[in-house]
Amino acid sequence: MGREIAHKSKRIVVSGYYGFDNSGDEAVLQSILFALKEQGEAAGISIEPVVLSANPQRTREMYGVEACHRMKVPDLFRAIKSSDGLISGGGSLLQDATSSRTIPYYLLVLKLAQWMRKPTFIYSQGIGPVNNPRFFSWIRSTFKKCAMITVRDQESADLIGRMGVPASAVSVVPDPVMGLPLRGEAASGKAGAADASGETGRVPVVGVSVRFWNADRSELGALAEALRAVMDSRRIEVRLLPFHLPSDEEASAYVVERLSPAGEGGDVRIVRGVTHPQDMLAEVSACDVLVGMRLHSLIYAASQFVPMVGVSYDPKIDQFLARLGMKAAASTQSFDAAGVAAEIGRLLDDRCEWADGKKAAIDRLKKEAQLPAQQIMQFYR
């Protein structure tokens, strides 16, 4: 039996928001690929991923996997037909806040695989918001035919429960990016708490991940005010980390303009052109504190034991922070610059204590991030 299992090979299509230069979603893809490889090896199954991407050539080059265009129907059809199954996720795929076409697209991909009698797996998705009730029956009918349903928070599980998906069919797991390793580390390895910086003379680094949200940019103005207050009270380097190119670079530049009359340089700079998720993970790991609007900037920070200050624009931010026993320090609708500045200062002073206090919860999330890949391997065994 062992010899038989060792020779198994499975071709799995991976559907998600890939190939759009969004570091968070690329990190989701990289994390899924690592987890499938690691858990496949443990189960004696060789996994051959085929990624549906908006930029197949770039995806092939970045990850060394087969890829095809997500919107070219003949390519999509051939990829699924030749596969042994399809993964949908992770990320916030099934939501209609950004577009009314998003949910129909991802459900259509799932339905196509199910029509071809391929097993389908929902991989650590964040579901919602779903404002149009007509989508409820579409999601319910599609999910009921899936071999596995895993979501990244209880709120997602509750939402699909209200749609009629049985709770017994759903598992709540962490975002897959909690399992993303730095280069050279094993995917399921436990990174130790980040070095809390005993280097004498080293200027502490405050990483900042921002995006445009409010039409009047009031949240970015308030954040710049908070960062300026910290800079006036102590020496720090502010390092802006754009996660979604090019829009986050523009949002970062907006903050820089209000933070430093001279623009970039000295103690304020934008880290530009980082597209590979592990390169961005390394940037985050080099920070002493991370101030984040992007969900995956906070997940990166947690995975590297970097204290974080969350700025919420969406419930998914609050849901992730709650898993670490935390709350957002501000939101795009209510931003107390003085309070955020005080929180940044507190975390700079108490970084070791923060990391020690969160270590058990973070280690648990990193381990549980492997569960969907383990379940898929159990299905094929």
Side-chain angles (χ1 to χ4, degrees):
M1 183 69 175
R3 289 177 182 275
E4 206 173 290
I5 290 174
H7 290 290
K8 278 188 178 179
S9 177
K10 297 295 177 183
R11 181 177 168 87
I12 300 180
V13 174
V14 185
S15 168
Y17 190 74
Y18 308 132
F20 290 95
D21 286 334
N22 184 320
S23 181
D25 288 289
E26 294 304 313
V28 167
L29 174 58
Q30 178 76 91
S31 302
I32 291 174
L33 295 175
F34 276 152
L36 291 174
K37 184 175 187 295
E38 185 167 332
Q39 297 305 321
E41 289 174 351
I45 302 171
S46 174
I47 300 299
E48 300 173 10
V50 183
V51 178
L52 305 182
S53 172
N55 190 337
Q57 181 177 345
R58 186 175 195 127
T59 297
R60 285 191 288 267
E61 291 170 352
M62 284 183 71
Y63 307 112
V65 297
E66 187 178 339
C68 71
H69 202 287
R70 71 201 298 271
M71 298 303 289
K72 292 184 178 177
V73 176
D75 294 354
L76 185 63
F77 190 91
R78 280 193 297 270
I80 296 174
K81 187 175 182 181
S82 65
S83 76
D84 296 293
L86 179 134
I87 286 171
S88 180
S92 302
L93 304 183
L94 298 178
Q95 51 80 25
D96 57 6
T98 57
S99 170
S100 61
R101 297 188 297 272
T102 302
I103 292 175
Y105 168 78
Y106 289 110
L107 291 182
L108 180 63
V109 172
L110 279 161
K111 285 285 193 186
L112 181 59
Q114 291 171 353
W115 177 71
M116 293 184 192
R117 301 185 182 277
K118 307 295 182 180
T120 52
F121 310 96
I122 305 300
Y123 199 116
S124 189
Q125 286 199 28
I127 313 294
V130 182
N131 298 305
N132 190 333
R134 72 174 177 167
F135 290 141
F136 281 30
S137 62
W138 297 9
I139 293 171
R140 179 178 64 248
S141 64
T142 306
F143 274 32
K144 282 188 173 181
K145 294 179 181 177
C146 289
M148 177 191 84
I149 304 170
T150 56
V151 295
R152 71 183 179 198
D153 49 63
Q154 187 59 48
E155 291 78 3
S156 295
D158 293 342
L159 176 56
I160 59 175
R162 292 195 295 273
M163 295 178 188
V165 178
S168 59
V170 182
S171 298
V172 178
V173 298
D175 188 287
V177 177
M178 280 302 300
L180 182 66
L182 287 167
R183 293 187 192 276
E185 288 182 355
S188 60
K190 290 183 180 179
D195 176 12
S197 249
E199 298 175 39
T200 55
R202 190 180 80 79
V203 178
V205 175
V206 176
V208 182
S209 166
V210 292
R211 61 167 297 161
F212 288 128
W213 191 253
N214 293 345
D216 63 359
R217 311 302 186 216
S218 55
E219 77 287 10
L220 299 184
L223 177 56
E225 182 183 339
L227 293 169
R228 170 46 60 193
V230 179
M231 294 178 77
D232 288 343
S233 67
R234 64 175 77 202
R235 179 86 187 277
I236 62 168
E237 178 187 335
V238 175
R239 199 174 290 174
L240 287 121
L241 306 172
F243 268 64
H244 193 176
L245 304 177
S247 61
D248 286 7
E249 281 193 351
E250 296 168 12
S252 297
Y254 185 94
V255 172
V256 170
E257 288 170 9
R258 280 142 191 82
L259 193 59
S260 173
E264 284 187 72
D267 291 334
V268 180
R269 71 182 183 92
I270 300 172
V271 177
R272 297 181 183 274
V274 178
T275 57
H276 196 287
Q278 285 180 295
D279 293 337
M280 184 60 82
L281 182 65
E283 292 288 345
V284 171
S285 74
C287 297
D288 295 273
V289 170
L290 188 286
V291 183
M293 285 181 69
R294 288 287 185 188
L295 171 64
H296 285 103
S297 71
L298 300 173
I299 294 175
Y300 279 22
S303 75
Q304 299 305 307
F305 298 91
V306 174
M308 68 192 75
V309 178
V311 178
S312 178
Y313 71 93
D314 184 282
K316 65 188 180 183
I317 303 291
D318 305 287
Q319 291 156 8
F320 173 69
L321 292 171
R323 298 189 80 161
L324 295 176
M326 299 176 64
K327 292 183 178 180
S331 75
T332 51
Q333 300 307 312
S334 176
F335 202 119
D336 175 12
V340 170
E343 180 65 3
I344 294 171
R346 183 185 73 80
L347 291 174
L348 285 169
D349 291 334
D350 299 331
R351 188 181 180 205
C352 281
E353 290 79 0
W354 185 94
D356 289 343
K358 303 300 180 189
K359 188 175 189 307
I362 291 171
D363 282 344
R364 183 176 66 253
L365 291 177
K366 289 166 80 73
K367 182 178 180 181
E368 291 175 354
Q370 296 278 321
L371 289 175
Q374 291 173 4
Q375 290 183 27
I376 291 171
M377 298 313 141
Q378 288 169 5
F379 174 88
Y380 283 118
R381 291 189 68 171

